[in-house]
PDB file of all heavy atoms in Angstrom:
ATOM      1  N   GLY A 203      80.173 127.875  97.053  1.00 94.00           N
ATOM      2  CA  GLY A 203      80.756 129.216  96.978  1.00 94.00           C
ATOM      3  C   GLY A 203      80.865 129.701  95.546  1.00 94.00           C
ATOM      4  O   GLY A 203      80.243 129.138  94.633  1.00 94.00           O
ATOM      5  N   MET A 204      81.705 130.717  95.360  1.00 95.00           N
ATOM      6  CA  MET A 204      81.818 131.343  94.039  1.00 95.00           C
ATOM      7  C   MET A 204      82.361 130.395  92.979  1.00 95.00           C
ATOM      8  O   MET A 204      82.079 130.550  91.800  1.00 95.00           O
ATOM      9  CB  MET A 204      82.734 132.565  94.135  1.00 95.00           C
ATOM     10  CG  MET A 204      81.988 133.711  94.786  1.00 95.00           C
ATOM     11  SD  MET A 204      82.714 135.311  94.618  1.00 95.00           S
ATOM     12  CE  MET A 204      84.411 135.142  94.839  1.00 95.00           C
ATOM     13  N   THR A 205      83.164 129.402  93.414  1.00 96.00           N
ATOM     14  CA  THR A 205      83.720 128.466  92.435  1.00 96.00           C
ATOM     15  C   THR A 205      82.845 127.206  92.298  1.00 96.00           C
ATOM     16  O   THR A 205      83.263 126.218  91.689  1.00 96.00           O
ATOM     17  CB  THR A 205      85.163 128.070  92.813  1.00 96.00           C
ATOM     18  OG1 THR A 205      85.164 127.639  94.177  1.00 96.00           O
ATOM     19  CG2 THR A 205      86.137 129.224  92.644  1.00 96.00           C
ATOM     20  N   LYS A 206      81.636 127.298  92.903  1.00 95.00           N
ATOM     21  CA  LYS A 206      80.645 126.207  92.781  1.00 95.00           C
ATOM     22  C   LYS A 206      81.127 124.877  93.370  1.00 95.00           C
ATOM     23  O   LYS A 206      80.797 123.800  92.875  1.00 95.00           O
ATOM     24  CB  LYS A 206      80.238 125.989  91.309  1.00 95.00           C
ATOM     25  CG  LYS A 206      79.658 127.228  90.666  1.00 95.00           C
ATOM     26  CD  LYS A 206      78.156 127.302  90.971  1.00 95.00           C
ATOM     27  CE  LYS A 206      77.503 128.516  90.350  1.00 95.00           C
ATOM     28  NZ  LYS A 206      77.438 129.704  91.216  1.00 95.00           N
ATOM     29  N   ILE A 207      81.936 125.005  94.396  1.00 96.00           N
ATOM     30  CA  ILE A 207      82.292 123.809  95.172  1.00 96.00           C
ATOM     31  C   ILE A 207      81.711 124.028  96.569  1.00 96.00           C
ATOM     32  O   ILE A 207      81.366 125.150  96.934  1.00 96.00           O
ATOM     33  CB  ILE A 207      83.825 123.562  95.217  1.00 96.00           C
ATOM     34  CG1 ILE A 207      84.595 124.781  95.739  1.00 96.00           C
ATOM     35  CG2 ILE A 207      84.334 123.151  93.848  1.00 96.00           C
ATOM     36  CD1 ILE A 207      84.699 124.948  97.182  1.00 96.00           C
ATOM     37  N   ASP A 208      81.596 122.952  97.358  1.00 97.00           N
ATOM     38  CA  ASP A 208      81.003 123.089  98.688  1.00 97.00           C
ATOM     39  C   ASP A 208      82.022 123.696  99.650  1.00 97.00           C
ATOM     40  O   ASP A 208      83.059 123.117  99.915  1.00 97.00           O
ATOM     41  CB  ASP A 208      80.517 121.722  99.200  1.00 97.00           C
ATOM     42  CG  ASP A 208      81.622 120.703  99.297  1.00 97.00           C
ATOM     43  OD1 ASP A 208      82.172 120.330  98.242  1.00 97.00           O
ATOM     44  OD2 ASP A 208      81.973 120.305 100.426  1.00 97.00           O
ATOM     45  N   GLU A 209      81.664 124.868 100.161  1.00 97.00           N
ATOM     46  CA  GLU A 209      82.525 125.491 101.182  1.00 97.00           C
ATOM     47  C   GLU A 209      82.098 125.029 102.556  1.00 97.00           C
ATOM     48  O   GLU A 209      82.831 125.172 103.530  1.00 97.00           O
ATOM     49  CB  GLU A 209      82.457 127.011 101.061  1.00 97.00           C
ATOM     50  CG  GLU A 209      83.095 127.487  99.758  1.00 97.00           C
ATOM     51  CD  GLU A 209      83.187 128.995  99.619  1.00 97.00           C
ATOM     52  OE1 GLU A 209      82.821 129.710 100.572  1.00 97.00           O
ATOM     53  OE2 GLU A 209      83.623 129.452  98.556  1.00 97.00           O
ATOM     54  N   ASN A 210      80.903 124.492 102.635  1.00 98.00           N
ATOM     55  CA  ASN A 210      80.409 123.896 103.881  1.00 98.00           C
ATOM     56  C   ASN A 210      79.368 122.841 103.499  1.00 98.00           C
ATOM     57  O   ASN A 210      78.609 123.040 102.553  1.00 98.00           O
ATOM     58  CB  ASN A 210      79.747 124.947 104.775  1.00 98.00           C
ATOM     59  CG  ASN A 210      79.465 124.401 106.161  1.00 98.00           C
ATOM     60  OD1 ASN A 210      80.373 124.227 106.966  1.00 98.00           O
ATOM     61  ND2 ASN A 210      78.212 124.103 106.432  1.00 98.00           N
ATOM     62  N   ILE A 211      79.361 121.745 104.215  1.00 98.00           N
ATOM     63  CA  ILE A 211      78.355 120.711 103.906  1.00 98.00           C
ATOM     64  C   ILE A 211      77.951 119.993 105.197  1.00 98.00           C
ATOM     65  O   ILE A 211      78.796 119.718 106.054  1.00 98.00           O
ATOM     66  CB  ILE A 211      78.894 119.742 102.814  1.00 98.00           C
ATOM     67  CG1 ILE A 211      77.793 118.841 102.278  1.00 98.00           C
ATOM     68  CG2 ILE A 211      80.075 118.918 103.274  1.00 98.00           C
ATOM     69  CD1 ILE A 211      78.122 118.239 100.908  1.00 98.00           C
ATOM     70  N   GLU A 212      76.655 119.781 105.345  1.00 98.00           N
ATOM     71  CA  GLU A 212      76.108 119.074 106.514  1.00 98.00           C
ATOM     72  C   GLU A 212      75.367 117.851 105.972  1.00 98.00           C
ATOM     73  O   GLU A 212      74.517 117.990 105.081  1.00 98.00           O
ATOM     74  CB  GLU A 212      75.111 119.953 107.281  1.00 98.00           C
ATOM     75  CG  GLU A 212      75.588 121.377 107.580  1.00 98.00           C
ATOM     76  CD  GLU A 212      76.571 121.468 108.735  1.00 98.00           C
ATOM     77  OE1 GLU A 212      76.458 120.629 109.649  1.00 98.00           O
ATOM     78  OE2 GLU A 212      77.446 122.358 108.704  1.00 98.00           O
ATOM     79  N   ILE A 213      75.696 116.698 106.497  1.00 98.00           N
ATOM     80  CA  ILE A 213      75.163 115.443 105.940  1.00 98.00           C
ATOM     81  C   ILE A 213      74.501 114.632 107.053  1.00 98.00           C
ATOM     82  O   ILE A 213      75.060 114.521 108.150  1.00 98.00           O
ATOM     83  CB  ILE A 213      76.322 114.598 105.333  1.00 98.00           C
ATOM     84  CG1 ILE A 213      77.105 115.421 104.308  1.00 98.00           C
ATOM     85  CG2 ILE A 213      75.805 113.307 104.707  1.00 98.00           C
ATOM     86  CD1 ILE A 213      78.519 114.909 104.085  1.00 98.00           C
ATOM     87  N   THR A 214      73.347 114.058 106.757  1.00 98.00           N
ATOM     88  CA  THR A 214      72.704 113.135 107.718  1.00 98.00           C
ATOM     89  C   THR A 214      72.567 111.768 107.053  1.00 98.00           C
ATOM     90  O   THR A 214      72.050 111.664 105.942  1.00 98.00           O
ATOM     91  CB  THR A 214      71.299 113.636 108.123  1.00 98.00           C
ATOM     92  OG1 THR A 214      71.421 114.965 108.608  1.00 98.00           O
ATOM     93  CG2 THR A 214      70.689 112.766 109.206  1.00 98.00           C
ATOM     94  N   PHE A 215      73.056 110.758 107.732  1.00 98.00           N
ATOM     95  CA  PHE A 215      72.857 109.375 107.296  1.00 98.00           C
ATOM     96  C   PHE A 215      71.795 108.757 108.213  1.00 98.00           C
ATOM     97  O   PHE A 215      71.860 108.941 109.428  1.00 98.00           O
ATOM     98  CB  PHE A 215      74.135 108.535 107.484  1.00 98.00           C
ATOM     99  CG  PHE A 215      75.199 108.715 106.431  1.00 98.00           C
ATOM    100  CD1 PHE A 215      75.042 109.580 105.359  1.00 98.00           C
ATOM    101  CD2 PHE A 215      76.385 107.973 106.526  1.00 98.00           C
ATOM    102  CE1 PHE A 215      76.046 109.721 104.394  1.00 98.00           C
ATOM    103  CE2 PHE A 215      77.388 108.103 105.567  1.00 98.00           C
ATOM    104  CZ  PHE A 215      77.229 108.977 104.506  1.00 98.00           C
ATOM    105  N   LYS A 216      70.861 108.020 107.617  1.00 98.00           N
ATOM    106  CA  LYS A 216      69.896 107.269 108.454  1.00 98.00           C
ATOM    107  C   LYS A 216      69.916 105.806 108.046  1.00 98.00           C
ATOM    108  O   LYS A 216      70.107 105.484 106.864  1.00 98.00           O
ATOM    109  CB  LYS A 216      68.503 107.849 108.297  1.00 98.00           C
ATOM    110  CG  LYS A 216      68.399 109.206 108.976  1.00 98.00           C
ATOM    111  CD  LYS A 216      67.012 109.468 109.529  1.00 98.00           C
ATOM    112  CE  LYS A 216      67.067 110.689 110.429  1.00 98.00           C
ATOM    113  NZ  LYS A 216      66.035 111.667 110.130  1.00 98.00           N
ATOM    114  N   TYR A 217      69.696 104.959 109.036  1.00 98.00           N
ATOM    115  CA  TYR A 217      69.758 103.507 108.832  1.00 98.00           C
ATOM    116  C   TYR A 217      68.426 102.891 109.252  1.00 98.00           C
ATOM    117  O   TYR A 217      67.789 103.368 110.206  1.00 98.00           O
ATOM    118  CB  TYR A 217      70.902 102.922 109.673  1.00 98.00           C
ATOM    119  CG  TYR A 217      72.271 103.435 109.245  1.00 98.00           C
ATOM    120  CD1 TYR A 217      72.742 104.679 109.692  1.00 98.00           C
ATOM    121  CD2 TYR A 217      73.067 102.705 108.380  1.00 98.00           C
ATOM    122  CE1 TYR A 217      73.975 105.158 109.286  1.00 98.00           C
ATOM    123  CE2 TYR A 217      74.309 103.176 107.967  1.00 98.00           C
ATOM    124  CZ  TYR A 217      74.765 104.406 108.423  1.00 98.00           C
ATOM    125  OH  TYR A 217      75.986 104.889 108.014  1.00 98.00           O
ATOM    126  N   LYS A 218      68.048 101.832 108.549  1.00 98.00           N
ATOM    127  CA  LYS A 218      66.752 101.183 108.830  1.00 98.00           C
ATOM    128  C   LYS A 218      66.658 100.686 110.269  1.00 98.00           C
ATOM    129  O   LYS A 218      65.580 100.611 110.833  1.00 98.00           O
ATOM    130  CB  LYS A 218      66.540  99.999 107.872  1.00 98.00           C
ATOM    131  CG  LYS A 218      66.058 100.475 106.502  1.00 98.00           C
ATOM    132  CD  LYS A 218      65.663  99.302 105.618  1.00 98.00           C
ATOM    133  CE  LYS A 218      65.327  99.813 104.226  1.00 98.00           C
ATOM    134  NZ  LYS A 218      65.900  99.015 103.169  1.00 98.00           N
ATOM    135  N   ASN A 219      67.799 100.350 110.876  1.00 96.00           N
ATOM    136  CA  ASN A 219      67.760  99.841 112.257  1.00 96.00           C
ATOM    137  C   ASN A 219      67.651 100.966 113.286  1.00 96.00           C
ATOM    138  O   ASN A 219      67.773 100.728 114.488  1.00 96.00           O
ATOM    139  CB  ASN A 219      69.005  98.987 112.545  1.00 96.00           C
ATOM    140  CG  ASN A 219      70.287  99.806 112.484  1.00 96.00           C
ATOM    141  OD1 ASN A 219      70.251 101.017 112.248  1.00 96.00           O
ATOM    142  ND2 ASN A 219      71.425  99.152 112.691  1.00 96.00           N
ATOM    143  N   GLY A 220      67.484 102.202 112.837  1.00 97.00           N
ATOM    144  CA  GLY A 220      67.310 103.327 113.770  1.00 97.00           C
ATOM    145  C   GLY A 220      68.582 104.117 114.020  1.00 97.00           C
ATOM    146  O   GLY A 220      68.545 105.191 114.628  1.00 97.00           O
ATOM    147  N   ALA A 221      69.719 103.600 113.585  1.00 98.00           N
ATOM    148  CA  ALA A 221      70.980 104.328 113.791  1.00 98.00           C
ATOM    149  C   ALA A 221      71.043 105.543 112.846  1.00 98.00           C
ATOM    150  O   ALA A 221      70.293 105.615 111.857  1.00 98.00           O
ATOM    151  CB  ALA A 221      72.158 103.400 113.530  1.00 98.00           C
ATOM    152  N   SER A 222      71.930 106.472 113.184  1.00 98.00           N
ATOM    153  CA  SER A 222      72.060 107.667 112.347  1.00 98.00           C
ATOM    154  C   SER A 222      73.453 108.269 112.499  1.00 98.00           C
ATOM    155  O   SER A 222      74.204 107.912 113.416  1.00 98.00           O
ATOM    156  CB  SER A 222      71.003 108.703 112.750  1.00 98.00           C
ATOM    157  OG  SER A 222      71.183 109.042 114.107  1.00 98.00           O
ATOM    158  N   ALA A 223      73.780 109.188 111.602  1.00 98.00           N
ATOM    159  CA  ALA A 223      75.071 109.893 111.693  1.00 98.00           C
ATOM    160  C   ALA A 223      74.866 111.326 111.240  1.00 98.00           C
ATOM    161  O   ALA A 223      74.127 111.589 110.288  1.00 98.00           O
ATOM    162  CB  ALA A 223      76.111 109.200 110.816  1.00 98.00           C
ATOM    163  N   LYS A 224      75.508 112.252 111.945  1.00 98.00           N
ATOM    164  CA  LYS A 224      75.530 113.669 111.549  1.00 98.00           C
ATOM    165  C   LYS A 224      76.976 113.999 111.238  1.00 98.00           C
ATOM    166  O   LYS A 224      77.857 113.883 112.114  1.00 98.00           O
ATOM    167  CB  LYS A 224      75.075 114.561 112.709  1.00 98.00           C
ATOM    168  CG  LYS A 224      73.596 114.517 112.951  1.00 98.00           C
ATOM    169  CD  LYS A 224      72.898 115.605 112.142  1.00 98.00           C
ATOM    170  CE  LYS A 224      71.405 115.610 112.437  1.00 98.00           C
ATOM    171  NZ  LYS A 224      70.615 116.167 111.343  1.00 98.00           N
TER     172      LYS A 224
END
Side-chain angles (χ1 to χ4, degrees):
M204 284 195 319
T205 51
K206 302 274 180 267
I207 55 83
D208 60 295
E209 293 186 4
N210 190 74
I211 191 160
E212 312 283 329
I213 305 157
T214 306
F215 281 0
K216 289 212 168 130
Y217 296 82
K218 280 188 186 136
N219 64 1
S222 59
K224 285 269 183 205

